[in-house]
Amino acid sequence: MTAKNVLGTPLVPCSYDPLTGYYRDGCCNTDWQDTGSHVICARATQAFLDHSVARGNDLVTPRPEHRFAGLRAGDRWCLCALRWREALRAGVAPPVVLESTHSRALDYVSLQDLRAHEYVRNPSSL
């Protein structure tokens, strides 16, 4: 069965560089083993990364043993749904790539909140 995104269409990969996803397959796929629900494809901002470090979730420091190079502002990454919701409440939620955000995200946050933080690529930057 093909995974669906929050828009009800097939899930699109989030990032291959850095390689993201609970399964490090580039997608925000999930199953019962993914207790953190790494289902929200977000584009990291410095404010979000700083907030995460302050909350004890260091997404900046490389962890080669987990195949994790560390994130920089602008990187796309499959975030834990509860961490994104925490950042939303703190006013630092990073932009979301809806096509790459797994439908399970809706178990934790509303589509309205996700849409309000949708990442829209600047056409002039293509």
Side-chain angles (χ1 to χ4, degrees):
M1 178 178 230
T2 302
K4 298 287 185 186
N5 61 36
V6 294
L7 303 173
T9 57
L11 188 66
V12 173
C14 179
S15 176
Y16 294 115
D17 185 19
L19 185 59
T20 192
Y22 179 74
Y23 295 103
R24 294 297 191 264
D25 61 358
C27 294
C28 298
N29 287 310
T30 191
D31 67 16
W32 65 272
Q33 294 176 319
D34 179 12
T35 57
S37 293
H38 297 78
V39 294
I40 296 181
C41 179
R43 188 168 188 264
T45 62
Q46 195 59 53
F48 169 74
L49 294 171
D50 293 344
H51 170 78
S52 292
V53 169
R55 299 286 299 149
N57 185 30
D58 184 354
L59 297 173
V60 178
T61 302
R63 304 255 187 254
E65 69 274 17
H66 297 292
R67 296 189 299 166
F68 180 67
L71 297 181
R72 294 184 307 249
D75 286 343
R76 287 165 67 161
W77 193 252
C78 294
L79 297 179
C80 295
L82 292 176
R83 291 288 185 173
W84 189 86
R85 187 174 74 185
E86 177 183 87
L88 174 68
R89 291 177 177 164
V92 293
V96 175
V97 181
L98 297 176
E99 297 83 3
S100 302
T101 296
H102 197 284
S103 62
R104 290 284 314 271
L106 299 175
D107 292 345
Y108 303 93
V109 296
S110 71
L111 182 57
Q112 180 180 351
D113 284 338
L114 293 170
R115 281 189 185 276
H117 291 83
E118 182 176 5
Y119 172 67
V120 179
R121 185 182 309 190
N122 180 349
S124 66
S125 69
L126 295 179

